[in-house]
């Protein structure tokens, strides 16, 4: 790059080149399924062994990596070091034990320890398919799908002209099985592959809305009336962090229907965006998740990384209002 233009035959004083740190992009935390598996195993190990305060080498070994490579991978993914995450888990457990909250769930996520994750920088609108579209099972509909790395491994992402209709994870099943899961929901739709479109959508979803320019993220999903009520309730009560099946049932207008709510949560077609990963059992345990408990645990950890980086600010943070429409 050309700098300046001094007089002829005049030698400018050579200045040391400035050191410019690399810019962190919204996709820095995107990983493939193999690296995500390593991160998920390490998070599970830390959550299970925090009382022992394991050394970095021990945590790295649980992920099958050297200290150097594991520390670099974890920090790129979370923006914090494994030791910082270990300290956060330890402090959270101590806070819960000391405060003697009415439930383990309240204790674990009290005092601002869980706040809205990056997803909720986006405005999300949920649109149901029309009765005619539901009956036609996708006939005449074009769905563009593709595969993209995300913070939680490789995902299949699909959208219609009306909005995102599917987000699931590939894992060991492979692309063919992931595509079969999409096709099973939209049997008669015309499917066109575009990894570029999928990567653009993934950046919009997991990159704090940088790619969306503030435009609401539209979801176009098919489901029963009850499922749609539950998914809308998830967007409302699950947006601020972990919640319970009972709370979701009440928000959906179906108090006491926790089992039916659980079935609807398990049928969620758009992982992470409709935050079914935030639904925990009443005793604070993870409960089930259609994409695996390790991924659920990692999602909860990833959503807390801003709080881990700045615990004082996180403790004062209140859930932000969500702009939603059904």
């Amino acid at each position: 790059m050309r700098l300046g233009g001094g007089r002829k035959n005049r030698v400018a004083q050579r200045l040391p080149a400035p050191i410019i740190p690399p810019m962190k992009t919204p996709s820095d935390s995107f990983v493939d399924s193999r690296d995500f598996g390593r991160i998920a195993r390490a998070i599970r190990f830390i959550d299970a062994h925090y009382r022992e305060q394991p050394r970095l080498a021990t945590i790295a070994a649980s992920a099958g990596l050297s200290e150097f490579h594991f520390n670099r991978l974890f920090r790129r993914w979370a923006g914090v070091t494994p030791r910082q995450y270990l300290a956060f888990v330890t402090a959270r457990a101590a806070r819960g034990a000391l405060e003697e909250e009415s439930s383990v769930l309240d204790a674990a996520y009290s005092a601002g320890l869980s706040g809205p994750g990056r997803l909720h920088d986006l405005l999300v609108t949920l649109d149901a398919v029309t009765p005619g579209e539901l009956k036609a099972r996708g006939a005449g509909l074009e769905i563009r799908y593709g595969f993209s790395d995300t913070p939680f491994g490789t995902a299949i992402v699909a959208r219609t002209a009306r909005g995102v209709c599917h987000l699931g994870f590939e894992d060991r099943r492979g692309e063919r099985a992931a595509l079969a899961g999409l096709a099973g929901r939209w049997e008669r739709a015309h499917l066109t592959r575009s990894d570029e479109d999928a990567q653009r959508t993934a950046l919009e979803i997991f990159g704090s809305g940088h790619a969306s320019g503030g435009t609401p993220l539209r979801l176009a999903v098919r489901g029963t009336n009850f499922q749609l009520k539950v998914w809308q309730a998830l967007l409302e009560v699950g947006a601020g962090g972990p919640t319970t099946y009972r709370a979701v049932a009440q928000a959906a207008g179906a108090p006491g229907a926790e089992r039916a709510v659980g079935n609807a949560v398990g049928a969620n077609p758009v992982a992470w965006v409709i935050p079914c990963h935030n639904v925990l059992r009443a005793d604070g345990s993870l409960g089930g998740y259609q994409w695996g408990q390790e991924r659920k645990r990692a999602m909860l950890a990833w959503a807390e990384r801003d709080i881990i980086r700045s615990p004082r600010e996180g403790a004062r943070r209140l859930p932000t209002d969500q702009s939603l429409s059904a």
Side-chain angles (χ1 to χ4, degrees):
M1 182 171 62
R2 199 172 171 184
L3 298 175
R7 295 179 181 176
K8 187 176 181 180
N9 296 330
R10 182 176 180 179
V11 179
Q13 181 179 2
R14 186 180 296 274
L15 299 175
I19 300 175
I20 303 176
M23 181 178 294
K24 184 173 178 62
T25 65
S27 60
D28 276 353
S29 57
F30 284 25
V31 292
D32 60 22
S33 292
R34 183 180 181 185
D35 278 344
F36 172 73
R38 291 164 169 163
I39 293 168
R41 288 195 298 272
I43 291 175
R44 180 182 62 183
F45 182 86
I46 291 173
D47 287 357
H49 298 277
Y50 69 89
R51 293 179 182 85
E52 304 161 18
Q53 292 296 289
R55 299 175 62 87
L56 178 60
T58 305
I59 301 173
S62 73
L65 292 173
S66 67
E67 289 185 55
F68 173 78
H69 288 97
F70 171 68
N71 193 66
R72 185 172 63 176
L73 173 64
F74 194 95
R75 186 164 188 170
R76 177 170 67 85
W77 179 77
V80 297
T81 67
R83 296 294 300 178
Q84 286 176 300
Y85 179 69
L86 172 62
F88 170 75
V89 172
T90 304
R92 184 178 64 189
R95 186 189 303 271
L98 290 173
E99 292 184 353
E100 295 182 355
E101 299 280 356
S102 58
S103 73
V104 176
L105 178 62
D106 291 337
Y109 296 99
S110 61
L113 283 176
S114 180
R118 295 175 73 100
L119 157 69
H120 306 296
D121 293 336
L122 293 170
L123 302 179
V124 180
T125 62
L126 177 65
D127 292 328
V129 300
T130 66
E133 291 171 328
L134 184 62
K135 185 177 180 180
R137 294 183 294 175
L141 185 68
E142 181 178 1
I143 296 178
R144 297 180 67 84
Y145 78 94
F147 293 87
S148 174
D149 288 346
T150 73
F152 311 112
T154 304
I156 179 172
V157 185
R159 68 189 309 160
T160 69
R162 291 174 55 188
V164 177
C165 63
H166 186 82
L167 195 161
F169 294 96
E170 175 190 328
D171 286 340
R172 299 177 182 176
R173 302 181 303 166
E175 292 186 0
R176 182 176 299 180
L179 179 56
L182 169 63
R185 291 179 180 268
W186 304 89
E187 299 95 330
R188 298 180 180 177
H190 177 69
L191 303 180
T192 302
R193 179 163 180 168
S194 174
D195 290 345
E196 182 179 354
D197 284 355
Q199 290 160 9
R200 189 180 301 114
T201 301
L203 187 61
E204 180 180 355
I205 291 171
F206 296 104
S208 285
H210 289 279
S212 68
T215 303
L217 178 71
R218 303 194 69 85
L219 306 183
V221 297
R222 58 171 296 185
T224 66
N225 288 336
F226 182 75
Q227 287 174 333
L228 292 168
K229 287 181 180 180
V230 170
W231 299 338
Q232 181 65 45
L234 275 171
L235 285 170
E236 295 170 356
V237 302
T243 185
T244 64
Y245 291 99
R246 177 177 296 179
V248 175
Q250 291 176 342
E258 286 87 351
R259 184 178 296 275
V261 164
N263 291 333
V265 168
N268 172 22
V270 189
W272 177 260
V273 181
I274 300 175
C276 57
H277 61 278
N278 273 341
V279 184
L280 308 181
R281 291 175 176 167
D283 63 358
S285 60
L286 287 178
Y289 187 56
Q290 64 172 316
W291 304 110
Q293 276 197 352
E294 290 194 349
R295 180 169 280 109
K296 185 174 186 176
R297 182 182 288 108
M299 286 177 166
L300 292 169
W302 197 73
E304 293 170 335
R305 65 201 185 286
D306 289 338
I307 300 170
I308 299 173
R309 282 196 292 261
S310 184
R312 290 185 179 180
E313 293 181 8
R316 293 194 297 267
R317 184 184 301 169
L318 296 176
T320 57
D321 291 337
Q322 304 299 313
S323 297
L324 301 166
S325 66

